[in-house]
Amino acid sequence: MDDNPSYWKSEDGQTFAKATIDDATISEKRPLYRVLPPALDFPLEALGPLKEAACAIQHCTQAPLAIAGQSVLAAATLAVQAQRDVMLPAGGRKPLTGLYISIGESGERKSSVDRLALASVYQVEKEWRQKSEAELLAYLNAKETWDFSREQAKRANKKNPVALRVALDELGPEPKAPPHPMLLISDPTPEALIMHLAFGRPFAGVFTAEGGLLIGGAAFTDESKMRTAALFNTLWDGDPIRRKRIGTGSTYLPGRRCCAHIMLQPVIADELFGKSLFDGIGLTARMLLVAPNGTAGTRLYREPPASSFAILERYNSRIRDLLMQPPVTSPDMPDALDPPAMQLHPDAKSAWIAFHDRCEIAVLPDGHLNRIKPFAGKLAEHAGRLAAVLTVFDDPSAMEVHLVAMSCGIQLAIHYANEMLRLADGASVPQGLRSAQRLL
């Protein structure tokens, strides 16, 4: 073969190309961005009175322990949020609401964990549904009687306005429909969630093991996602819901509580945490997030310990008792919650203040929490809320948060901060690079 390509025949070019390919060394494919480090172990001991229940669920499902821990924490928050607030040194009275996010691949048994953690909640909803049939009949009869009596009063006093006013005042207000029995809602629009809290009980939970239904649904369309985020912020803060619409009129709902536990696949989580809107509006700063390492491939069959079922029975009994306990409402608004505020024991207060100051210093430009500054700004509050939830779950009559519970709350808050730091790098990777990496 001539060395000058100008004189090559067609077969000479093929020979050269084949020789070049055979001699070439194909380098190993390199990732387009730095892979996230593995998740830290979930601080099991920090669950305090919920530790055994989380372990029992993990033994039964072999799902990641962090997801089991999130599930029992979220269920406990749902159960106690109508019973107590907590008084924190900086910021004053805070509700015991929480927004929990669990990220795991499909097949990590998120739904199985959710069913076990919420078993007593489903049972309470069933009991309320059976009871509501009789309550609804009583309401319909009372409403029919009230309407009839009102018309009778109008006819009897149609020429005497003063007497009519007296008769109508004696009749009293229109009977109120009983609350609907549903406590949990999985994929509401902001308007539907407001109606849920207006016509149901004054507390609720947005819980779903299929977070794609919520994130990919009507609540997070381009037109509604800002309203949804703002509503979750309002509920987390414990502020009254205020809404005025030309078609539906005014809505004023003070004293409402709503927590959430949303389980997401990573590809769905990218849609939520890759949006600057949610960071800017403060929604992600209010979320407690875990993204544990998966257990798929290691879950060879094993019989759960017999003790697990006894532990879950005690756990479910406590959740049920808390949900069935009549909530404290405002004297002038019986449908608005007004739970008493727990105080911090002096030792717990000292620990909380020290943690608060550490978090504040850590958001300085050279601080280790600067990259998650909005979340770090609420980290001490998260710790205080978590400590109060654990306290009430352990002792429903408690009115003071002690040092042990506060230590647990702080440990949990530190874990959530580390998770947020770990995932902050992943959230900054453009979607195009993610797609290219999957193609590789």
Side-chain angles (χ1 to χ4, degrees):
M1 185 175 69
D2 197 305
D3 290 338
N4 186 349
S6 302
Y7 299 102
W8 283 359
K9 300 177 182 177
S10 61
E11 59 268 20
D12 293 336
Q14 294 173 7
T15 301
F16 176 79
K18 183 177 184 304
T20 302
I21 293 174
D22 290 343
D23 292 341
T25 301
I26 300 176
S27 62
E28 184 180 354
K29 289 178 291 186
R30 301 177 64 186
L32 297 178
Y33 55 87
R34 185 171 62 86
V35 178
L36 290 176
L40 298 174
D41 291 339
F42 189 81
L44 180 62
E45 296 296 329
L47 288 175
L50 292 169
K51 170 188 171 182
E52 287 188 340
C55 287
I57 291 176
Q58 200 277 332
H59 289 152
C60 291
T61 63
Q62 299 191 61
L65 181 59
I67 293 180
Q70 285 282 87
S71 293
V72 296
L73 265 175
T77 302
L78 174 72
V80 309
Q81 63 182 349
Q83 302 297 329
R84 296 287 190 281
D85 286 347
V86 65
M87 191 69 68
L88 297 178
R93 182 172 174 171
K94 300 295 181 181
L96 301 189
T97 53
L99 304 177
Y100 300 89
I101 305 293
S102 297
I103 300 175
E105 295 282 0
S106 179
E108 291 297 340
R109 299 180 176 173
K110 300 185 292 293
S111 299
S112 299
V113 170
D114 215 34
R115 280 193 293 271
L116 289 174
L118 296 174
S120 56
V121 180
Y122 299 144
Q123 181 60 36
V124 167
E125 284 186 322
K126 181 179 179 181
E127 294 177 20
W128 284 346
R129 186 165 57 251
Q130 293 169 344
K131 184 180 177 183
S132 69
E133 295 177 1
E135 291 177 339
L136 181 59
L137 178 60
Y139 159 72
L140 292 174
N141 291 340
K143 177 70 164 56
E144 192 72 27
T145 302
W146 186 85
D147 289 339
F148 176 79
S149 300
R150 190 174 178 86
E151 289 302 317
Q152 288 288 93
K154 289 179 180 178
R155 284 196 291 267
N157 300 283
K158 60 183 178 181
K159 295 183 179 180
N160 189 342
V162 175
L164 175 60
R165 175 65 180 270
V166 172
L168 293 179
D169 285 346
E170 290 178 351
L171 187 57
E174 178 181 352
K176 187 175 181 181
H180 59 69
M182 188 168 63
L183 182 61
L184 302 179
I185 184 169
S186 60
D187 61 341
T189 62
E191 292 76 18
L193 183 53
I194 290 173
M195 289 182 62
H196 184 71
L197 292 167
F199 300 109
R201 287 166 174 78
F203 62 100
V206 178
F207 280 61
T208 176
E210 295 294 341
L213 293 176
L214 179 66
I215 306 303
F220 284 89
T221 62
D222 290 340
E223 295 77 20
S224 62
K225 60 186 177 184
M226 183 174 290
R227 297 199 309 276
T228 299
L231 178 58
F232 275 122
N233 287 353
T234 297
L235 292 169
W236 190 85
D237 293 340
D239 293 335
I241 297 172
R242 304 171 187 269
R243 189 182 69 159
K244 191 172 183 66
R245 297 288 187 273
I246 295 177
T248 57
S250 301
T251 301
Y252 175 62
L253 300 176
R256 263 50 180 187
R257 300 287 184 270
C258 184
C259 62
H261 184 202
I262 303 168
M263 296 181 171
L264 301 167
Q265 295 178 10
V267 66
I268 305 299
D270 290 344
E271 291 297 314
L272 180 62
F273 292 98
K275 305 295 184 183
S276 59
L277 168 66
F278 300 136
D279 288 335
I281 203 172
L283 179 61
T284 51
R286 291 168 168 83
M287 292 179 170
L288 299 175
L289 182 150
V290 297
N293 306 319
T295 59
T298 66
R299 303 171 308 203
L300 302 182
Y301 179 79
R302 68 185 185 197
E303 196 74 26
S307 59
S308 295
F309 302 104
I311 290 170
L312 287 176
E313 186 175 347
R314 291 195 298 271
Y315 158 81
N316 282 315
S317 178
R318 176 55 56 86
I319 294 289
R320 183 186 185 283
D321 289 346
L322 286 164
L323 288 173
M324 298 299 286
Q325 186 172 327
V328 180
T329 57
S330 177
D332 57 339
M333 296 186 71
D335 63 343
L337 294 173
D338 188 21
M342 305 178 71
Q343 302 293 326
L344 303 187
H345 183 277
D347 292 341
K349 180 178 179 180
S350 297
W352 187 90
I353 291 173
F355 181 63
H356 171 274
D357 291 349
R358 283 170 53 200
C359 294
E360 185 65 21
I361 294 171
V363 300
L364 289 170
D366 59 346
H368 69 283
L369 295 181
N370 179 263
R371 284 189 298 142
I372 54 168
K373 192 173 182 178
F375 180 77
K378 297 186 182 300
L379 196 54
E381 184 173 340
H382 283 304
R385 292 184 185 216
L386 290 165
V389 168
L390 295 175
T391 298
V392 181
F393 180 86
D394 187 47
D395 179 7
S397 65
M399 288 301 300
E400 191 174 53
V401 179
H402 288 270
L403 178 59
V404 172
M406 184 57 69
S407 298
C408 289
I410 290 172
Q411 290 178 59
L412 288 168
I414 291 172
H415 179 76
Y416 290 124
N418 286 330
E419 278 290 81
M420 196 66 80
L421 281 169
R422 185 175 69 90
L423 297 173
D425 290 336
S428 65
V429 176
Q431 187 59 44
L433 280 184
R434 293 178 183 275
S435 299
Q437 182 62 44
R438 282 196 293 270
L439 180 62
L440 281 175

